[in-house]
Amino acid sequence: MMSWKRKTSSGESPFRGAEKEKVVVPRGHVPMLLAGGDDGGDHPGERVLVPVRLLSDPSVAALLDMAAQRYGYGQTGVLRVPCDAGHFRQVLDGAMHRRCGISSSA
């Protein structure tokens, strides 16, 4: 199952301030930051948890290749992916359907 982390009503991301509070990532998941259009604005993007088993799916791997091309392999912290949340959800839905026969929108 994919968990979508949204900003709290105060506008602060649930992952922000990780230095103060330890954020626990469930075993078998990778945290990612969806950089959207990456217009250089102050919007930090949406943070998601992706099951590790989906990383080898060709569509997800293509997004990871785009991230490597845009940001390089030396990213620190949460992995940034240059993709908006809607497109990313479609890619993961397809990957989940191919791997598990399920959809996250169900």
Side-chain angles (χ1 to χ4, degrees), residues 48-81:
V48 296
L49 295 174
V50 179
V52 170
R53 70 181 179 273
L54 298 182
L55 298 180
S56 63
D57 182 83
S59 298
V60 177
L63 291 176
L64 295 176
D65 285 339
M66 287 173 44
Q69 290 174 7
R70 169 136 335 149
Y71 306 115
Y73 289 101
Q75 293 188 52
T76 58
V78 177
L79 178 64
R80 289 176 294 169
V81 179

Side-chain angles (χ1 to χ4, degrees), residues 27-61:
R27 184 180 182 139
H29 289 77
V30 176
M32 294 186 185
L33 174 64
L34 305 181
D38 203 26
D39 55 7
D42 290 336
H43 188 272
E46 186 169 347
R47 295 176 187 250
V48 296
L49 295 174
V50 179
V52 170
R53 70 181 179 273
L54 298 182
L55 298 180
S56 63
D57 182 83
S59 298
V60 177

Side-chain angles (χ1 to χ4, degrees), residues 83-94:
C83 184
D84 65 78
H87 179 69
F88 193 79
R89 181 180 286 273
Q90 289 176 342
V91 168
L92 285 188
D93 279 347

